[in-house]
Amino acid sequence: MKLKLSYHLWNTEIKIGLFSTALFGYGIIASSINDASTSRMITIPYRSIVLIASILVILFSRNISNVNHDKKLLAGTKILSTFIIIFIFSYSFRLFFDIGYNNLLIKESSEYLLCWFGICLIPGITFLFLDLKSSKKYLYLSWIFLAIASILALPLIVQGQVSKVFAEQGRLAGEALNPISLGHQGGSLLLISLYILLNRESSKNRITKISYIFSLMLGLSLLFFAASRGPIIAIIVCVCLLLLSLQYQGINTFKIFGIIIIAIIFVNIAFSFALDSGSSFLERFTSLLSGDDFGYSQFVQRPELYQKASELIAEYPIFGYGLEIPNLGYPHNLILEAFLATGLLGGSLFLMIYIYAAIKAIGIIMAKNNSWSWLGLLYIQYAIGSMFSGNLYASSTFWYFLFAILGLKKVDKLMKN
């Protein structure tokens, strides 16, 4: 009995550590990369550790018979489970088929296999086995990882000013951390910090509160200096959902507005810094609002990608066309990509899964006394973000949160934990 209990505790600690490492560990690793050509030497060991730990969690969780939520992989209907299995099988078949017969793929064959199976699918399955009673451990460890990664990214702002990156691009980026990823990293830190600050059970210690406020400002600065439309829109939606849920629960609105005012002041300071540095940041941000997300980029604009993807879907409705648009790559929208790769059936299945998870996440956010509402917020963030820039075979963070939301029990049961 003691051996079984120790076995369970050890497995739980691995799950909690793997959760934050898989989701936010890359930001820490990427901050140490100064030369993109050598990034594989650093990221491959990290990805290997995550993959090995994921396999161990899957094997150990299936052998624990006294954990109720591990007996049922998906906390939904059998129909939903069938939908997910069919879609994963269909997409995997398309991936293998295109690797073997499609000569227009942009990347090497090994890239698609490693990303889909090694980075997205296998680690993603482990998120079905979250320990429901350890929500606070998951939350605070995620905050620590995000805070460390964001602090390590601070030199990018100084380097960007010195090297005139702001003046040339109007956005912040690193050698191994693109503006979209950096924006989502800052946005996630902002969301988690705001959630903790507004939580009734948050620490009353002044130093602790100051650290959360600092991390909130840090996340906000990275979000805006990265200047990517997807993360900004996603965070605006998530903050609105968080405020609505807190209002519904009777949280003091003066406290909320106070934090918002502080954030607005900080944004104004960030804008002033951008202007003083001679950057085109404000012009870049204006272009985001007008929809010209690629006004400063060499890439094909989103509307053209969407149009070409839609044309191919209409031309190949039954089995789909393929993983990517010829010579252009993925369409930068998960739903369009699902239809493009797997046809009307597979695309419809993915759309239903996507909508189901979004509805469930919003229900978790709005439920009273739900210790997992922050997880719902993060899923919504990446679900929206993936509609602007994601792809199915490499959007690991989206898949992790999707599996986590699908694996959680019903909202009324979650409130009891």
Side-chain angles (χ1 to χ4, degrees), residues 155-167 172 273-274 276-279:
L156 292 175
I157 297 177
V158 178
Q159 293 170 7
Q161 187 179 18
V162 173
S163 63
K164 306 301 181 182
V165 171
F166 287 155
L172 186 66
F273 177 83
D276 293 339
S277 68
S279 79

Side-chain angles (χ1 to χ4, degrees), residues 318-372:
I318 306 300
F319 300 108
Y321 172 79
L323 293 178
E324 299 174 340
I325 302 170
N327 303 317
L328 295 178
Y330 57 91
H332 289 70
N333 182 290
L334 293 192
I335 293 176
L336 279 177
E337 185 181 349
F339 281 98
L340 181 69
T342 60
L344 293 179
L345 176 59
S348 299
L349 292 177
F350 179 80
L351 181 59
M352 286 187 281
I353 295 167
Y354 180 90
I355 293 174
Y356 174 87
I359 293 173
K360 185 175 180 180
I362 293 173
I364 293 171
I365 294 168
M366 294 300 174
K368 290 186 177 181
N369 303 319
N370 191 333
S371 61
W372 285 99

